[in-house]
Amino acid sequence: MRSYIRNVLAQNNSRGSTVIIKNGKPQQISYGWAWYGKRIGNGNDSVVYPTASLQKVVTAAMVVQLMNEKWHTSERFSQNTKISRWYPELKNANNITLGQLINHTSGINAVNTEADRRINYSEDDAVKWAIDNANAIDPSTPGTYFYNNTNYILLAGIIKKISGQSYETNFNNRIVNKLGLANTYLYQNIPSWKTDPISYTWNIKNYQDPEYITKTQASQLVGAANMFTTPMDYYKIQVGLSNGAILNKSDFHYLTHLKSRANNYSGGIYLDNNDTIKSAYGNLGGTHFGIWFQMTTDNRNGLIMFLNQTAGDENAQKQVGYQILNHIKPYTFIAG
């Protein structure tokens, strides 16, 4: 398996770290340099990767945790609660439900969420920017699917408003500590003995056009794309979403079947093949990362692929992964 995976990545001019799950057993297989200039290899114990939009299911899961905790109190809320409860100043908030925020069907269509503004935002300031930016543009009608990071930045703010604690504190207590994750951090908490990777493109040769995620860019995207981890830790998160560590199976079903979904996306992930396959893709503007996972919903087979050198667009990267998935378990996975 190891030589096969590395050959597939090499043939497609791709580099990165993967976790292969076959019959319930995860295995890490990496290839190439995470930081070419310093000769730090992908899969090195010091490297933690950006998850980009693969973080969104974690944020959504924390909302469901809080929903359960508040269910028998005066602070009870559900997927149908209007977000004006938390954001009375937000345009159209009286018409937007929490579920629509989670499923990108809020109608919010703010722009430039990933363009590095060169400001190191606090959580509160990042949320304020999201509100101001959303208010600057007339929203679409709620119910319209429009994928936008602003939805999840606002969810991070809601987590703080409900819990009385920062997103960071909730993330560490509810996810990192709960699962005993040793390699999972929000950007600002990556310790000095760890490093995030450089991203590259293939252009005639390897390791071209180096770009990395800056502190300021990460700070803009609280709850949406400021989590860094390894593919093995991310595998543990996926398992924890339905085994009771983060959510139980009933909670996971609730999260992934919200009434506000307009397609097969709900709660931060896509479900396909009669809910037997789950997946999500992420990257960040200005960088070359290709972050993708596709697994069976029982977590027994699949691929978590964190590429830091990519060749081609999102579809090309998924095709690389699909080739690997067909080797793991043929006739099971989907190409997109």
Side-chain angles (χ1 to χ4, degrees):
M1 182 69 77
R2 183 171 298 275
S3 60
Y4 177 83
I5 304 304
R6 290 165 65 91
N7 284 337
V8 169
L9 293 177
Q11 290 163 10
N12 288 278
N13 301 310
S14 301
R15 303 290 185 270
S17 186
T18 71
V19 159
I20 309 302
I21 308 105
K22 185 175 179 64
N23 298 325
K25 296 179 179 179
Q27 177 186 5
Q28 178 180 291
I29 302 172
S30 305
Y31 183 61
W33 300 109
W35 190 339
Y36 179 75
K38 291 193 174 183
R39 296 301 193 271
I40 299 174
N42 279 311
N44 186 291
D45 289 343
S46 67
V47 180
V48 291
Y49 295 82
T51 56
S53 287
L54 272 64
Q55 177 181 354
K56 289 183 170 71
V57 69
V58 173
T59 298
M62 290 197 285
V63 173
V64 172
Q65 288 179 332
L66 286 165
M67 195 180 296
N68 290 338
E69 291 165 19
K70 301 294 185 182
W71 196 247
H72 297 293
T73 76
S74 60
E75 299 175 67
R76 173 174 174 162
F77 67 97
S78 74
Q79 62 178 305
N80 302 314
T81 302
K82 298 293 194 295
I83 65 170
S84 54
R85 174 166 166 177
W86 302 288
Y87 295 120
E89 75 277 35
L90 181 68
K91 187 183 292 185
N92 217 30
N94 285 322
N95 298 315
I96 298 170
T97 66
L98 182 66
Q100 288 171 333
L101 211 60
I102 293 171
N103 282 352
H104 301 282
T105 53
S106 65
I108 292 172
N109 51 9
V111 297
N112 295 328
T113 60
E114 294 181 15
D116 189 353
R117 299 189 287 275
R118 306 295 178 183
I119 298 170
N120 191 22
Y121 286 87
S122 67
E123 285 188 16
D124 290 346
D125 286 342
V127 172
K128 183 181 184 302
W129 185 93
I131 293 170
D132 292 344
N133 204 40
N135 282 341
I137 301 173
D138 287 333
S140 301
T141 303
T144 303
Y145 180 80
F146 187 88
Y147 192 95
N148 194 283
N149 287 315
T150 305
N151 291 293
Y152 273 76
I153 300 169
L154 294 173
L155 286 172
I158 288 173
I159 287 170
K160 181 175 182 179
K161 288 173 182 286
I162 294 169
S163 68
Q165 296 180 308
S166 66
Y167 179 89
E168 176 183 328
T169 297
N170 277 279
F171 175 80
N172 288 330
N173 290 341
R174 296 175 179 277
I175 307 299
V176 176
N177 297 341
K178 192 75 173 178
L179 295 176
L181 303 178
N183 298 292
T184 301
Y185 310 91
L186 299 184
Y187 186 95
Q188 67 269 20
N189 297 326
I190 298 174
S192 60
W193 60 90
K194 300 281 187 181
T195 185
D196 52 310
I198 311 296
S199 71
Y200 305 93
T201 55
W202 184 87
N203 185 4
I204 302 177
K205 58 182 180 178
N206 295 313
Y207 306 112
Q208 301 301 298
D209 307 317
E211 296 288 350
Y212 65 96
I213 296 169
T214 64
K215 179 189 296 186
T216 51
Q217 185 182 27
S219 76
Q220 298 169 191
L221 294 164
V222 58
N226 67 328
M227 180 176 92
F228 287 67
T229 188
T230 61
M232 189 62 79
D233 266 16
Y234 194 77
Y235 163 76
K236 294 173 184 176
I237 289 171
Q238 282 298 321
V239 173
L241 287 170
S242 57
N243 73 354
I246 301 173
L247 301 177
N248 60 33
K249 287 184 179 179
S250 175
D251 293 329
F252 181 75
H253 185 272
Y254 178 87
L255 178 64
T256 53
H257 294 80
L258 296 175
K259 295 175 183 176
S260 56
R261 67 177 182 171
N263 48 26
N264 58 343
Y265 180 98
S266 182
I269 60 174
Y270 293 88
L271 290 183
D272 290 287
N273 285 10
N274 296 317
D275 295 351
T276 61
I277 300 295
K278 58 181 177 177
S279 67
Y281 175 85
N283 60 14
L284 275 171
T287 71
H288 314 300
F289 293 103
I291 311 299
W292 187 59
F293 89 93
Q294 188 174 144
M295 295 169 59
T296 53
T297 47
D298 64 6
N299 299 310
R300 288 193 53 78
N301 293 282
L303 167 69
I304 298 166
M305 184 174 72
F306 291 179
L307 298 181
N308 73 306
Q309 178 179 293
T310 53
D313 60 9
E314 174 183 338
N315 288 332
Q317 294 156 30
K318 289 179 178 179
Q319 286 300 320
V320 174
Y322 185 55
Q323 186 176 344
I324 295 170
L325 287 166
N326 275 336
H327 188 75
I328 296 169
K329 193 172 178 65
Y331 313 114
T332 301
F333 298 96
I334 62 170

